[in-house]
């Protein structure tokens, strides 16, 4: 017999958020802003069971939902949660390491730090710090490298699960050109990754990425094992690094002399397809861009990392070409990258395009951080904007978060579209975690700025 306690409530509770809403329906790089950008200066977002039930002008929506309890974020701009397409949780504590470029930086700083993640308690402690840092910065989804140790992935997923986050992560596969204390083998990488996929992929909001670190640190046998896993689990991700630094490209071609270029190494093991995420792509040839486009693969553009490690200027214009577009996500790449903030990352992305004689509007960049990021992960049916049915991960932004920004943006949330675009651009160039007033995960307030 059912007791009253065991009876499900008759109707799930609705709640709603009032404020100014900005999101994207298409890519403003290719579709005019009038069709791609949605701006509602005074809107109401109705939430049900962690998902979006409705969004519209406040007055009209209030008539439709007269009873729903409302939280009003007055003078704030509400945008979809930011998506960081490539980041290492194991490099949190070595961010800002002095003086080296990629290969020396890995040997001198990265590998010794990643060794600490053999200890699961330590991994859990850093995962907790890392995830709290993401939420503080408005990042609600990230594609994350753990360390070579399976327990580092376990610790990460357990912490992400506790916070109900939509996260993609995987165990680094690495069986050569790294210290012995940090290597696996082709066989253990296969069996450990397989066990992690079976345990975690699709568990709550968590997804798995098969993660060979890069071609230099995997033998052909290990890359073959990665390809076999992808065949066996076609809906998991492939996540690795590609063509970041000149010395890396040269060493890769020495290790794989039969391959025509760097991308061809991954192609020859069946690793290039949609759901394949390649970080950097700074040194890619035209042919590699075209093949990435045809495969439906994704590049994670990591501007702060590419500048900090002296890797070079990513050719965003080429990736966004109409003829052969490549999916692009924006990424911090901490700890090669120098900030957890997607706003700071966006600011450096803008400067990279300037140095290439190009430009990047606030809307093009915010698209890349939200719907574009979701599309780059083939998750745009679930996250990325405020379309009905999607998961309600979103960020409440303060466009006057510092004295300088308050001076620059005298109206907290302009109702005029162009004025709002300018205020958002200012915050993208000057803003950081202080601009994040609150972060909601699946409709729940999960982070609130102490002064918000
Ligand atoms: N290539 C291989 N491993 C790494 C890493 O940890 N960081 C960066 N930036 N590039 C890499
Ligand atoms: Zn990286």
């Amino acid at each position: 017999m059912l007791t009253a306690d065991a009876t499900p409530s008759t109707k799930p509770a609705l709640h709603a958020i009032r404020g100014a809403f900005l999101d994207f329906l298409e890519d403003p790089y290719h579709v005019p802003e009038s069709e791609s950008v949605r701006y509602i200066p005074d809107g109401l977002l109705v939430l049900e069971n962690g998902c979006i039930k409705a969004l519209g002008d406040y007055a009209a929506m209030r008539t439709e939902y007269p009873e729903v309890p409302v939280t009003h974020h007055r003078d704030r701009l509400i945008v979809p949660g930011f998506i960081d397409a490539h980041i290492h949780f194991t490099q949190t504590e070595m961010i800002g390491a002095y003086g080296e470029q990629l290969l020396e930086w890995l040997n001198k700083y990265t590998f010794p730090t990643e060794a600490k993640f053999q200890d699961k308690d330590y991994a859990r402690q850093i995962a907790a710090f890392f995830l709290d840092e993401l939420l503080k910065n408005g990042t609600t989804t990230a594609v994350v490298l753990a360390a070579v140790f399976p327990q580092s992935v376990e610790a990460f997923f357990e912490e992400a699960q506790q916070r109900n986050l939509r996260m993609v992560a995987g165990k680094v596969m690495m069986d050569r050109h790294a210290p012995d204390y940090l290597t696996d083998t082709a066989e253990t990488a296969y069996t450990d990754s397989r066990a992690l996929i079976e345990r975690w992929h699709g568990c709550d909001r968590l997804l798995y990425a098969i993660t060979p670190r890069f071609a230099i640190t995997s033998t052909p046998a290990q890359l073959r094992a990665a390809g076999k896993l992808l065949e066996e689990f076609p809906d998991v991700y492939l996540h690795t690094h590609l063509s970041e630094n000149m010395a890396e490209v040269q060493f890769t071609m020495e290790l794989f002399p039969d391959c025509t270029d760097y991308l061809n190494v991954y192609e020859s093991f069946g690793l290039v397809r949609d759901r394949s995420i390649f970080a950097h792509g700074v040194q890619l040839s035209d042919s590699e861009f075209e093949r990435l486009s045809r495969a439906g693969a994704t590049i994670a553009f990591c501007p702060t990392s590419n500048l900090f490690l002296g890797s070079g200027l990513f050719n965003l214009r080429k990736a966004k070409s109409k003829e052969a577009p490549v999916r692009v996500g924006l990424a911090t790449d901490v700890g090669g990258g120098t900030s957890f903030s997607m706003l700071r990352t966006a600011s450096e992305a803008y400067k990279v395009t300037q140095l290439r004689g190009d430009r990047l509007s606030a809307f093009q960049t915010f698209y890349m951080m939200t719907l574009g990021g979701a599309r780059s992960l083939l998750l745009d049916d679930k996250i990325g904007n405020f379309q009905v049915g999607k998961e309600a991960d979103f960020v409440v932004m303060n466009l006057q978060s510092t004295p300088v920004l308050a001076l620059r943006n005298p109206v907290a949330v302009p109702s005029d579209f162009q004025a709002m675009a300018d205020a958002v651009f200012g915050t993208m160039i000057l803003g950081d975690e202080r601009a994040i007033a609150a972060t909601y995960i699946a409709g729940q307030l999960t982070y609130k700025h102490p002064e918000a």
Side-chain angles (χ1 to χ4, degrees), residues 6-241:
T7 311
S9 61
T10 46
K11 216 173 167 206
L14 299 182
H15 67 124
I17 308 287
R18 181 178 180 184
F21 290 88
L22 172 70
D23 72 344
F24 302 91
L25 304 173
E26 280 303 333
D27 184 351
Y29 222 95
H30 298 305
V31 178
E33 287 176 357
S34 56
E35 291 161 48
S36 56
V37 184
R38 171 166 57 176
Y39 181 49
I40 307 175
D42 185 14
L44 192 73
L45 179 73
V46 182
L47 306 168
E48 183 178 43
N49 292 333
C51 291
I52 292 158
K53 187 169 173 65
L55 172 68
D57 283 319
Y58 176 76
M61 294 294 291
R62 204 55 179 143
T63 318
E64 208 175 317
Y65 296 92
E67 306 286 332
V68 65
V70 174
T71 304
H72 190 179
H73 289 289
R74 205 182 293 279
D75 291 339
R76 297 287 181 256
L77 180 69
I78 304 173
V79 299
F82 303 147
I83 298 169
D84 185 338
H86 175 81
I87 185 166
H88 301 248
F89 100 84
T90 50
Q91 296 175 13
T92 300
E93 70 204 88
M94 51 150 290
I95 188 169
Y98 173 72
E100 304 294 350
Q101 295 212 349
L102 177 63
L103 299 180
E104 296 75 23
W105 174 86
L106 284 172
N107 285 318
K108 186 166 168 182
Y109 298 112
T110 314
F111 292 156
T113 305
E114 292 190 8
K116 298 184 189 179
F117 289 78
Q118 183 157 20
D119 176 350
K120 186 171 177 187
D121 288 340
Y122 185 75
R124 194 193 310 279
Q125 184 192 322
I126 298 292
F129 179 95
F130 171 91
L131 291 170
D132 291 345
E133 203 60 28
L134 293 192
L135 293 172
K136 194 193 289 183
N137 280 284
T139 300
T140 52
T141 289
V143 185
V144 180
L145 290 95
V148 74
F149 313 108
Q151 60 270 33
S152 68
V153 184
E154 295 278 353
F156 178 80
F157 276 142
E158 284 164 16
E159 289 295 320
Q161 187 179 38
Q162 259 181 34
R163 291 165 177 77
N164 194 25
L165 299 174
R166 184 162 280 294
M167 287 282 154
V168 181
K171 179 200 111 65
V172 164
M173 303 166 75
M174 179 156 66
D175 67 345
R176 64 170 168 177
H177 299 129
D180 287 347
Y181 60 75
L182 213 55
T183 47
D184 53 10
T185 67
E187 291 72 32
T188 60
Y190 174 84
T191 50
D192 287 345
S193 301
R194 193 187 164 98
L196 287 165
I197 293 167
E198 285 170 344
R199 166 72 184 87
W200 290 106
H201 185 64
C203 174
D204 294 337
R205 304 182 74 199
L206 306 172
L207 297 163
Y208 196 83
I210 296 162
T211 311
R213 180 172 215 118
F214 63 161
I216 291 175
T217 48
S218 285
T219 57
Q222 189 170 68
L223 293 176
R224 211 167 297 120
K228 183 159 186 271
L229 282 168
L230 268 191
E231 264 175 30
E232 289 167 353
F233 300 97
D235 67 337
V236 304
Y237 294 89
L238 182 285
H239 184 201
T240 188
H241 297 88

